[in-house]
Amino acid sequence: MVLVLWSQRVAQAFTSTASRAAPLVRPAALASSVMLRRPLSATKAPEETKTNAGSAETPQNLPDMDEIVSLCKRRGIIFPSSDIYNGYAGFFDYGPLGVELKKNLKDAWWKHFVTQREDVVGLDSSIIHNPTTWKSSGHLDGFSDPMVDCKETKLRFRADQIFFSPVVLEEDSSIVGYVCVQEANDEDMVKEATKQANVILQEKDMKGTKIKAFQFREVVEATEEEMSQIPSPASGKPTLTMPRDFNLMFETKVGATVDSDNVAYLRPETAQGIFINFKNVLGTSRQKIPFGIAQMGKAFRNEITPRNFIFRSREFEQMEVEYFIPPGDDVWPEYHQKWIDASKEFLSDVVGLREDLMGWDVHKGDKLAHYAQACTDVTFKFPFGEQELMGIAARGNYDLTQHTEGSGKNLEYYDEQTKERYIPHCIEPSLGVDRLMLAVICSAYAEDEVGGEKRSLLKFNPRIAPIKAAIFPLLKNKEQLVGVARDLFKQLSQRYNVMYDAAGAIGRRYRRADEVGIPFCITVDFETIEDNAGVTIRDRDSTEQIRLPIDEVIPYLSKAIDGY
């Protein structure tokens, strides 16, 4: 789990008494879990870099999640699934704008990592595999999260997403109770813990007594004695069960009969579909190692507590490459770095994420999977804290080895140049479509003032904007204006997703277009039809306008959107 990096600035702001938030101190036991961070503009992953918790500047213009959720529903980007039945936790539907944005992100990823590379080919495997797949991969036995239940409310929580701390008096270091908060950003966790500490002190007639810094630990680390005193986030009383494992895979039945032989699983990741098709692709694609197999598609995880909008949901899409390479400790670091660089280029240059919101998390020690040689995550500063966005892992040959043993099929590769046989190792860049979409929306959200009037807008990179241009006739009741605008709309719609809008004042139409991230507004006015002066094209971000002949509009947009 990615832990929140605690800020000294926040800690210093809440000191002295329990009526103010106690400073937050990271206990020494968790020091190895603190994320190593560095701006994404760095060329190499900063394995040697030490993080100073007080050095990171707070990003500017970050919206809160309420603004993001409201905007997404109001403008048809994302809806709660089964909305008319009060929703269904952990599932979401993508509206007219959302489905276009999602498609553009997937198309951009596929173009960057598959179409434009000679050494990567595509695959679309089934969602349900032979159940033995998951036994071999280790998912049946080890794909679980620790959970706790509230015995009073029957609500369930991930034990590694709720944190507890003793309330310790500054005077004599005695413990007067415990607080328990759910994972959030630094300040919100401190505030919630302080509220609970104030209640504890008030009940003991100790209001205003100074307390020491909160020593937060995950509930999964609590002893039985501590669990008997830790309050549940749901009931406020010590009603939590001890942590236990909960398998995240969705079960289903295949076939007409209902018995244990028919049990199957919805895939929890897309990677295993690639590994079990390694020989098929190798034998039909004429690729030679090093080469990659790319796949995007749905995955399902029965999350204990889906939260933070589409960041952690039960149904999601993944985009992954398994890039197969020769074995050897001197081989994988170079390829791992190349995929880190390619991932950085995609996120910053193609998608257009703000670099001040991105960082690195280099996995070390206990954070590194037992089979992995290395793993570097790209992190993103969401409104609810800094979290993993994309992972680039050196997975070794674990997966192909497991499937060789589980299937009895030989998955070795014969290198014609070296005359060697070996099970290839692989580098895996993995990115969630839904998390990327949330990061794109947060990164694009902006507020500014134009002509004394405030506006909110989404500054999507034109390449991934759901609507590329809006075409406006200056007046909707002038046949000549409407005719030219309609003709232009038909031309542009052959190449791009564009919008025609004739309703309301032109300024209001601009604002509507800005809010949903349309990069260009094209207006047909009287100079267009009377003086053959072309149309005006307004830029969303600068609000500046230029006039171009109609036959130059497509070349202009092609350059601005596609880069050529």
Side-chain angles (χ1 to χ4, degrees), residues 398-418:
Y398 172 82
D399 298 277
L400 289 180
T401 299
Q402 291 295 107
H403 289 301
T404 295
E405 295 174 358
S407 67
K409 303 296 194 305
N410 184 359
L411 298 181
E412 287 184 328
Y413 174 80
Y414 177 67
D415 192 316
E416 294 179 355
Q417 290 186 332
T418 64

Side-chain angles (χ1 to χ4, degrees), residues 186-471:
D186 305 3
E187 189 171 351
D188 288 344
M189 290 179 68
V190 171
K191 285 181 178 179
E192 177 58 30
T194 301
K195 289 179 184 178
Q196 295 180 29
N198 285 337
V199 171
I200 292 172
L201 294 175
Q202 191 166 358
E203 290 175 348
K204 295 181 178 294
D205 294 326
M206 302 174 70
K207 185 178 180 180
T209 303
K210 294 182 179 180
I211 62 174
K212 289 187 177 182
F214 296 123
Q215 299 285 335
F216 283 107
R217 288 190 291 153
E218 296 175 7
V219 165
V220 73
E221 301 174 6
T223 65
E224 286 192 41
E225 182 180 350
E226 289 171 326
M227 287 297 292
S228 67
Q229 302 176 69
I230 296 170
S232 163
S235 68
K237 306 170 189 175
T239 55
L240 292 175
T241 63
M242 286 298 293
R244 63 189 187 280
D245 286 339
F246 175 78
N247 194 289
L248 300 178
M249 286 199 295
F250 278 104
E251 280 192 15
T252 188
K253 302 286 185 180
V254 175
T257 59
V258 179
D259 55 44
S260 59
D261 292 336
N262 290 42
V263 173
Y265 303 91
L266 303 184
R267 66 183 181 194
E269 64 177 33
T270 57
Q272 299 307 317
I274 296 176
F275 293 123
I276 62 178
N277 275 289
F278 170 71
K279 276 289 189 180
N280 290 332
V281 175
L282 185 64
T284 57
S285 65
R286 300 182 63 198
Q287 290 284 341
K288 297 184 183 300
I289 286 180
F291 82 101
I293 303 175
Q295 180 172 211
M296 61 173 69
K298 292 276 189 179
F300 305 83
R301 296 181 184 179
N302 193 14
E303 291 284 354
I304 299 167
T305 50
R307 55 203 298 255
N308 294 326
F309 198 31
I310 59 172
F311 177 80
R312 181 175 283 113
S313 55
R314 293 181 168 123
E315 177 183 344
F316 54 96
E317 282 193 82
Q318 288 183 305
M319 304 183 292
E320 294 185 312
V321 176
E322 300 300 335
Y323 193 80
F324 298 99
I325 61 174
D329 289 340
D330 58 337
V331 176
W332 68 262
E334 179 183 354
Y335 287 105
H336 189 230
Q337 185 60 50
K338 284 181 178 179
W339 279 98
I340 289 174
D341 295 340
S343 301
K344 178 251 177 177
E345 180 186 7
F346 172 73
L347 293 172
S348 59
D349 298 346
V350 178
V351 174
L353 291 186
R354 286 171 49 185
E355 292 198 22
D356 64 313
L357 298 181
M358 291 188 284
W360 298 106
D361 176 16
V362 180
H363 291 214
K364 290 186 176 181
D366 293 341
K367 288 189 67 181
L368 197 62
H370 67 91
Y371 54 79
Q373 296 160 311
C375 183
T376 296
D377 289 341
V378 179
T379 64
F380 187 85
K381 294 182 178 71
F382 293 97
F384 45 83
E386 187 163 5
Q387 299 283 346
E388 174 192 346
L389 174 63
M390 179 178 186
I392 305 99
R395 293 179 67 109
N397 63 1
Y398 172 82
D399 298 277
L400 289 180
T401 299
Q402 291 295 107
H403 289 301
T404 295
E405 295 174 358
S407 67
K409 303 296 194 305
N410 184 359
L411 298 181
E412 287 184 328
Y413 174 80
Y414 177 67
D415 192 316
E416 294 179 355
Q417 290 186 332
T418 64
K419 309 302 180 185
E420 293 179 287
R421 291 187 179 274
Y422 56 81
I423 293 181
H425 288 222
C426 72
I427 307 296
E428 179 194 74
S430 177
L431 177 61
V433 180
D434 309 83
R435 287 191 181 187
L436 176 60
M437 188 158 170
L438 182 57
V440 164
I441 294 171
C442 292
S443 185
Y445 186 90
E447 294 178 346
D448 63 8
E449 190 172 304
V450 178
E453 185 179 346
K454 289 186 177 180
R455 64 168 182 159
S456 62
L457 67 156
L458 291 169
K459 293 186 176 182
F460 291 131
N461 185 321
R463 294 183 189 182
I464 56 97
I467 301 173
K468 307 301 186 188
I471 296 91

Side-chain angles (χ1 to χ4, degrees), residues 6-139:
W6 309 106
S7 167
Q8 290 178 350
R9 180 185 61 79
V10 173
Q12 293 167 356
F14 298 92
T15 52
S16 71
T17 69
S19 61
R20 302 168 65 193
L24 190 63
V25 174
R26 175 66 75 192
L30 296 184
S32 63
S33 297
V34 175
M35 291 174 15
L36 297 175
R37 291 199 175 90
R38 191 180 194 178
L40 197 61
S41 56
T43 301
K44 293 186 178 292
E47 298 186 17
E48 76 289 348
T49 303
K50 295 182 179 179
T51 300
N52 181 344
S55 63
E57 295 182 3
T58 302
Q60 298 300 310
N61 304 320
L62 262 184
D64 61 39
M65 280 307 298
D66 289 340
E67 291 174 319
I68 293 296
V69 173
S70 174
L71 173 67
C72 286
K73 185 171 184 180
R74 187 175 70 252
R75 290 305 182 194
I77 301 175
I78 302 167
F79 305 128
S81 181
S82 310
D83 198 18
I84 64 171
Y85 293 104
N86 300 316
Y88 200 41
F91 298 93
F92 296 91
D93 299 333
Y94 287 81
L97 284 179
V99 73
E100 291 290 340
L101 178 59
K102 195 175 188 182
K103 178 181 181 298
N104 290 347
L105 289 172
K106 292 192 291 185
D107 287 348
W109 183 87
W110 194 265
K111 183 177 180 180
H112 188 75
F113 289 113
V114 184
T115 308
Q116 295 180 335
R117 297 182 63 122
E118 295 183 49
D119 59 344
V120 179
V121 294
L123 176 74
D124 184 8
S125 67
S126 63
I127 286 174
I128 297 177
H129 304 322
N130 185 306
T132 309
T133 300
W134 308 112
K135 178 67 176 177
S136 299
S137 67
H139 284 78

